[in-house]
Structures are given as C-alpha cells and as structure tokens.
Amino acid sequence: MTFTIQHFIALLPLLITSATLVVVMLAVAWKRNHSMAATLSVIGLNLALLSIIPVLKVTPIEVTPLMVVDNFACFYMALILIGALACTTLAHAYMESFPGNREELYLLLLLSTAGGLVLVSAQNLAGLFIGLELLSVPVYGMVAYAFFNKRTLEAGIKYTVLSAAGSAFLLFGMALLYAESGNLGFSAIGASLAEGTSHGPLLAIGVGMMVVGLGFKLSLAPFHLWTPDVYEGAPAPVATFLATTAKVAVFAVLLRLFQIAPAALNNGLLHDAIAVIAVASILIGNLLALTQSNIKRLLGYSSIAHFGYLLIALVASKGLAVEAVGVYLTTYVVTTLGAFGVVTLMSTPYSGRDADALFEYRGLFWRRPVLTAVMTVMMLSLAGIPLTAGFIGKFYIVATGVESQHWWLVGALVLGSAIGLFYYLRVMVTMFLVEPNMKRHDAPLDWAQRAGGIMLVAIALLAFFLGVYPQPLLDILQHSGLVAIAG
C-alpha cells in the first residue's frame, strides 16, 4: 500500500510519542537531569494530545492492515495520553529524592504509552498482540523500579510472571482462532464466523483463552490475585498508570474485537462465561475490599469490581453499550487518577514506602482540608453518588443492562455498589477522625503550589463538573463510533 500524507497525520499521536521517547533518551545520555527528562516528557505528551485534532480530520483511515484510526481510536488515544500526562506530573515530585536513577522511569512510561496508542487502533490480532506487549513489558520495569524495596521487587516479579502467563493464554487463543477462521483481522474473523457454517469447539476455546489472557491484564476475577499485591508494592505513580492508562487500552481493544466480530461473543457458552466473570468480579472485588486497611490494596480490589461493572456493557454489546463504556472509562480514569493522586502526594517525596495505610489518613481534614476535599469527592465518585462523575458512569451501565434485559447483572451491580458504599465511606470518615498522639504523615506544605497538586484540584473539579453537566462528554462520545474496515 502507498503511504500518503493522510496516513502520517493519522499516526501523529504515535509518532510524536515515539519521537519524545527518543528525545528523552538522547537527553538522558547527554546529561542526567531529572527535571529536564520530566519536562520533555510532559511537552511531548501534550503535543501528542494536541495532534489528535488534525487526526480527526482524516478519520476513519486504515493505516496498515494492522491498524485503523477512527473516532473511537482517537477518543481512547486522548484518554490514554491524559492518563500518562497525569502520571508523569505526579511522578516528578514523587521521584525528587529517589536514591537511584530517576530518568529511566519516564522512558518506560512513554514506551508503555506508545503501546497503548497502538492497542486502541488495532484491528488485527497481530496488531493487538504487538500493542499489548509494548504496553505491558515496560510496566514490568516500572512496577519493580524501586527494586531495593522488598515489597516492590515482589510486586514486579509477581506481575511479570502472571502477565507472561496471560500473554501465553492470549497467543494460544489467537492461534486457535486463526485455525478456525483462517484470518487475523477482526472484521474478517467476524465475517467468517457469521457465515452460518457450523464451527467446531476451537472457536469457543480460542476466544475463551483470549478472554482469559485479557482478563489477567484487566485483573478480572478469578484472574485477579496479583492485583492488590502489585498495587501495594508498585511506586504510587506507577500504580496510578497501571490502574488507569494500561487498563483503558486493554478494555478498548476488547470492546473493538467484540463489536466488530460480534459472532465471537454470541457463542452461548462464552457469552454466559463472560457474564459469570462480570458477577464474580463485582462481588469478589467489593467483598475483599471491605477487609482492607491499606488504601492502595482497597483501590486495587475496587478496580476489579469496576471492570466487572464494565463487562455488563460488553455482555449487552448492543444499543448504548459503546457509549456506556466510553462514559464509564472516562469517569473511572478521572476518579482513579484523583484517588491515587492523593496517595502519591501523601507519599511525596519518595521515602522508602508509600503513605498507603489507612491510619496515616486519620485526621487529615484538620491538617490538609483541601486534600481531604479532593479525596472525599473521589470516594463519592467511586461509590457512584449523584452529582459526581461516577454516578453518570454507573447510570449508563445500568441503562445498558436494563436495555438488554440482563436483570441479574443489573442486580449484581446494585448489590456491589451497596457493598462498595461502606468501604468508600470508611475512608472518608477516617480523614475526619482525631486521635491524641496519632502518627502524622502529611503531604508537603506546598503541595497545592506544585504541578501535581494543581492537577489534582483540577481533576476533583472535573469529577464534579462531569457529575453535574455531562453533556460535553456525551456529545464527544456520540461521534466516537467504531469503524470496521474490511481487510
């Protein structure tokens, strides 16, 4: 195929992110300067985000048989770049007193972000695997970045081993799917499976193994066991990246696969299996979060439940489903960035371990009232309370479940939300408690003047704004449809 200027415009976010990676690498080779590496990363990510505007003028366009850039890809590219920008900003202050090399963290983060951009544009199983590995492998290094800390090293090893196991399942599933359909392209697989000819068990097993592989990456039950340990052990900005950007990219490609090749999901046994995984994730995530006294572990279990809610839209797969996933992922990213952002600021600068124990937040209101207000908004949003972004996301998921008449899934969502309310409120109440002689672990006095603090306040205002007036987000999502280009 001939490359035109339109193809290069369509690839601008990926090209700029890759160029930023090279520039930061050369800058580090020339002179080690933490602030310079962070600043160059932020500039590059901002340029990549702005480049989505000209990309929208040439979409939809098939760049190669592996990638298609449409409005759907543009929306999730923007979400990934915003998440990466927030994590880079939070990492700068956090890493200021890190005893080892600090600049390589930004290289790994940029490389993983580039993988996410490839992943959301994938329209082919080969493109999916390349994007997923480019996203995942740098995260292994990021999770174990503070390798001299025993918990961090343990988290890195666990994530590497289990993620590799997930990739093995994914590859085996792809091989079986290729053997059954004779194609690697999503639309070609969908057309082949929709022909009506009888397919053997290889199809169900292949797609099932792919769901297992992606379930590991999304930490869906029963593939969730690594999640709390990795979230607890990873440095706070890395845990933020893992909970937001990495998961958004994987879920977006899963949605594209099942929307373009619906015959794969319409297999009765597989459809029911994904519904069971959704209910298990909602109940296991929420019930295990009840017992946690560590905020990062609590948010880890909470994320299992949230992706269980998202699977309800995937199971429904018609009507509002694509829009509901977009709304929910946006509100989830905003809220999770805010919640992990507070933990990161409380742990800034790096001091060997993060301020993630719940008792360290006792009486925070009396010392850092604005920071407490931010965390309170995030907890209310995660719980799905009205006037916060989380409520709009949950409302759309419920609407999708009702529209497709999956009543037992809607029931699981309501029950899970009721359980979740308890542990989110417990975090909020803890911040207002006062005890004599309590251990004080504070965010820096000037946190609100730093880039991370300013960004955190902006995120809290955005979470409130989306809860009160979500129309701009809904307008964007109504123009972010999927395009299937036969190939």
Side-chain angles (χ1 to χ4, degrees), residues 279 282-283 309 312 398 406-418:
V279 174
I282 291 168
L283 296 181
Y309 301 145
I312 295 174
V398 170
H406 288 97
W407 301 111
W408 63 292
L409 290 175
V410 174
L413 186 151
V414 172
L415 177 61
S417 298

Side-chain angles (χ1 to χ4, degrees), residues 96-130:
E96 275 296 328
S97 65
F98 188 76
N101 291 337
R102 295 166 288 182
E103 296 79 9
E104 282 83 350
L105 182 72
Y106 303 103
L107 295 176
L108 293 170
L109 194 144
L110 287 165
L111 192 57
S112 190
T113 303
L117 299 180
V118 171
L119 196 56
V120 295
S121 309
Q123 61 160 354
N124 183 294
L125 294 180
L128 185 156
F129 190 72
I130 291 166

Side-chain angles (χ1 to χ4, degrees), residues 163-339:
S163 194
S167 296
F169 271 98
L170 192 68
L171 266 180
F172 203 161
M174 287 178 183
L176 294 177
L177 203 55
Y178 179 69
E180 186 67 24
S181 66
N183 287 291
L184 286 175
F186 294 172
S187 53
I189 289 170
S192 167
L193 301 180
E195 281 170 0
T197 53
S198 60
H199 291 282
L202 284 185
L203 163 67
I205 296 170
V207 180
M209 290 186 83
M210 282 187 66
V211 169
V212 169
L214 293 171
F216 268 109
K217 307 290 183 183
L218 292 169
S219 63
L220 296 165
F223 321 113
H224 65 283
L225 294 176
W226 60 269
T227 313
D229 291 342
V230 170
Y231 277 39
E232 183 185 6
V238 176
T240 312
F241 184 85
L242 191 58
T244 53
T245 304
K247 288 194 172 184
V248 165
V250 176
F251 202 90
V253 79
L254 186 63
L255 179 65
R256 187 189 284 276
L257 173 63
F258 284 137
Q259 286 291 319
I260 292 178
L265 185 61
N266 289 342
N267 179 290
L269 184 63
L270 185 68
H271 190 273
D272 293 343
I274 292 177
V276 169
I277 289 172
V279 174
S281 300
I282 291 168
L283 296 181
I284 289 172
N286 281 310
L287 288 171
L288 290 176
L290 284 174
T291 62
Q292 301 307 310
S293 58
N294 181 296
I295 288 188
K296 281 162 80 178
R297 291 180 74 88
L298 183 147
L299 289 170
Y301 281 120
S302 163
S303 78
I304 296 168
H306 283 288
F307 279 86
Y309 301 145
L310 270 165
L311 278 188
I312 295 174
L314 196 69
V315 169
S317 77
K318 292 183 180 68
L320 280 171
V322 175
E323 194 177 332
V325 169
V327 172
Y328 200 92
L329 279 175
T330 305
T331 58
Y332 167 80
V333 166
V334 168
T335 308
T336 307
L337 282 174

Side-chain angles (χ1 to χ4, degrees), residues 50 90 98 208 394 397 419 432 479:
L50 289 171
L90 289 169
F98 188 76
K394 280 220 174 106
I397 297 291
I419 297 168
F432 292 88
H479 296 95

